[in-house]
Amino acid sequence: MRHFQRIVGLAAMGVAGVALPVMAAPQYWLDPAGPVAAMQGQLFLLTLYIMLGIFVTVSGILVYTLVRFRERAKASARTGEAGTAARRETAAAAEDELPPQIEGNHKLEIIWTLIPFVLLLIIAIPTVRLSFALAADPGPDALEVRVVGHQWWWEFEYPQLGIVTGNEMRIPVGRPIRLIIESADVIHKFWVPKLAGKMDAIPGRTNQMWLQADEPGIYYGQCAEMCGTHHANMRLRVVALPQAEFDAWVANWGRGPVVEDEAQLAAVERGRMVFETRACYACHAIEGTAARGTAGPNLTDIGSRTTLAAGILENTPENLARWISDPQSVKPGSLMPRVGLSPDELRDVVAYLSSLR
Ligand code: CUA
């Protein structure tokens, strides 16, 4: 009995050891932060409870049957001729103990056909209702964001606002966001677990979904479809801001460098010159400058982002310098090439990009 208690105790600790960190994790999808994830979570739990009920009932009956009607080996210690004879006797005795054999009982058959039918109905009705709720247009008040998956970063375009950004999607709190999901290369999958379930980004096809954040905060997401070597490093963040802060971000987008003094301004000007004349401008766009490239993320608000390279580096001047000077060591296979910059040029470009906030 003491052994049994110890095993149960260890099992409980094991389950808690796995479950507690999962529930505290930033991508724990059963802790929803918006109506879409909440509705999906409720449907999942309803289905889970029904399945658990079926599992416990069926396993319970199975275990009861196995124990109750097992063959009791009374003569197991005996050997040889005598043993065989004894086993035969035991088998005959067991046959006598067979449970009642039921065949063609209409009442029972109707009952065990009706039970699954009713259970499936209980699952089907909310499933169909939720499918329509999720496919419905979120209304004229919705903010539209076009999401484009790239190997390995996310592009977010706000057609109503004329804004393009990357990897961090800023949204106003409490407002539905209509997402138009596309891909520039291979199949990706947009997933921000606390806000909504997954949606494929497929080349040549447009998918739609909507989500909404009820509280300000940063919601973590990631690509959920194997899309190449850096699939795991194709992260994203949804930054939900109070309306006033969101409006400020919109108003500030594209206003140009923010500097504190003349010396910084000079460095920023030099950095901008490097950016607009060296390889950078061919792939990246910065609003209000000659840089109009579209192969890489739009960097108009790069200084205001919390991370670099699709969520794998914290956005600090040191990391920015490291990323620009040797992208392949940070993200091998990324389309970002190494641009041969002198240490001074690198410092100036970092100063310039950091000032775009
Ligand atoms: Cu994109 Cu995985």
Side-chain angles (χ1 to χ4, degrees):
M1 200 61 201
R2 212 178 291 155
H3 270 308
F4 180 71
Q5 281 173 354
R6 214 172 281 166
I7 289 166
V8 169
L10 280 175
M13 274 163 64
V15 168
V18 172
L20 292 178
V22 165
M23 287 161 73
Q27 296 191 157
Y28 179 55
W29 57 279
L30 279 178
D31 177 25
V36 172
M39 289 188 287
Q40 291 168 333
Q42 281 160 9
L43 180 61
F44 169 82
L45 287 177
L46 172 75
T47 312
L48 178 75
Y49 293 146
I50 291 176
M51 296 303 164
L52 271 178
I54 295 172
F55 175 76
V56 169
T57 309
V58 172
S59 318
I61 293 172
L62 178 68
V63 169
Y64 170 80
T65 313
L66 287 175
V67 173
R68 170 75 178 75
F69 300 104
R70 73 187 185 279
E71 184 180 316
R72 289 176 179 79
K74 293 168 197 159
S76 60
R78 300 189 200 166
T79 51
E81 279 296 304
T84 315
R87 261 202 291 280
R88 237 181 265 128
E89 267 170 45
T90 317
E95 233 164 85
D96 292 342
E97 279 182 53
L98 273 183
Q101 303 294 297
I102 302 161
E103 260 174 64
N105 186 319
H106 285 176
K107 204 164 131 194
L108 278 178
E109 282 179 11
I110 286 171
I111 289 174
W112 62 54
T113 306
L114 268 181
I115 292 174
F117 178 78
V118 170
L119 289 178
L120 284 176
L121 213 57
I122 294 174
I123 296 174
I125 291 169
T127 301
V128 171
R129 278 174 55 177
L130 181 61
S131 301
F132 279 101
L134 295 180
D137 191 274
D141 181 43
L143 176 68
E144 190 168 301
V145 182
R146 187 171 150 257
V147 177
V148 185
H150 295 259
Q151 283 176 313
W152 294 278
W153 58 280
W154 296 95
E155 180 180 356
F156 301 116
E157 183 193 352
Y158 301 67
Q160 298 150 322
L161 306 172
I163 286 179
V164 183
T165 186
N167 299 324
E168 286 179 23
M169 180 168 88
R170 282 169 175 70
I171 60 169
V173 154
R175 189 169 161 194
I177 312 295
R178 183 194 298 113
L179 300 177
I180 312 293
I181 300 181
E182 295 167 4
S183 168
D185 35 48
V186 300
I187 300 177
H188 303 274
K189 190 172 281 186
F190 180 87
W191 190 31
V192 185
K194 283 190 177 232
L195 297 180
K198 302 167 181 174
M199 181 59 80
D200 279 332
I202 300 171
R205 208 194 128 106
T206 299
N207 279 338
Q208 277 207 42
M209 64 180 280
W210 68 279
L211 53 76
Q212 179 180 319
D214 289 336
E215 298 288 335
I218 296 180
Y219 301 101
Y220 295 79
Q222 63 186 62
C223 181
E225 185 72 56
M226 177 62 192
C227 58
T229 43
H230 279 273
H231 157 67
N233 288 330
M234 188 168 164
R235 302 181 200 163
L236 71 121
R237 287 165 191 222
V238 174
V239 183
L241 300 167
Q243 187 68 47
E245 280 179 45
F246 179 76
D247 292 342
W249 173 71
V250 171
N252 287 337
W253 190 87
R255 70 176 159 169
V258 179
V259 293
E260 265 142 40
D261 54 44
E262 289 291 316
Q264 204 189 348
L265 180 64
V268 162
E269 284 300 325
R270 288 195 303 272
R272 174 173 165 172
M273 191 60 85
V274 173
F275 196 93
E276 288 187 41
T277 52
R278 306 296 285 274
C280 319
Y281 78 96
C283 295
H284 296 282
I286 293 178
E287 186 72 5
T289 76
R292 302 262 164 78
T294 53
N298 185 306
L299 299 179
T300 302
D301 64 340
I302 180 74
S304 68
R305 292 181 205 158
T306 54
T307 62
L308 301 168
I312 63 176
L313 291 178
E314 201 189 326
N315 189 0
T316 63
E318 296 73 36
N319 282 338
L320 189 51
R322 187 181 149 209
W323 173 231
I324 296 170
S325 58
D326 194 5
Q328 296 303 316
S329 79
V330 177
K331 213 176 203 181
S334 140
L335 284 181
M336 171 97 167
R338 186 186 208 145
V339 181
L341 299 178
S342 73
D344 283 349
E345 287 172 329
L346 179 63
R347 207 182 47 232
D348 291 341
V349 166
V350 168
Y352 172 51
L353 293 176
S354 304
S355 75
L356 297 173
R357 55 180 191 262

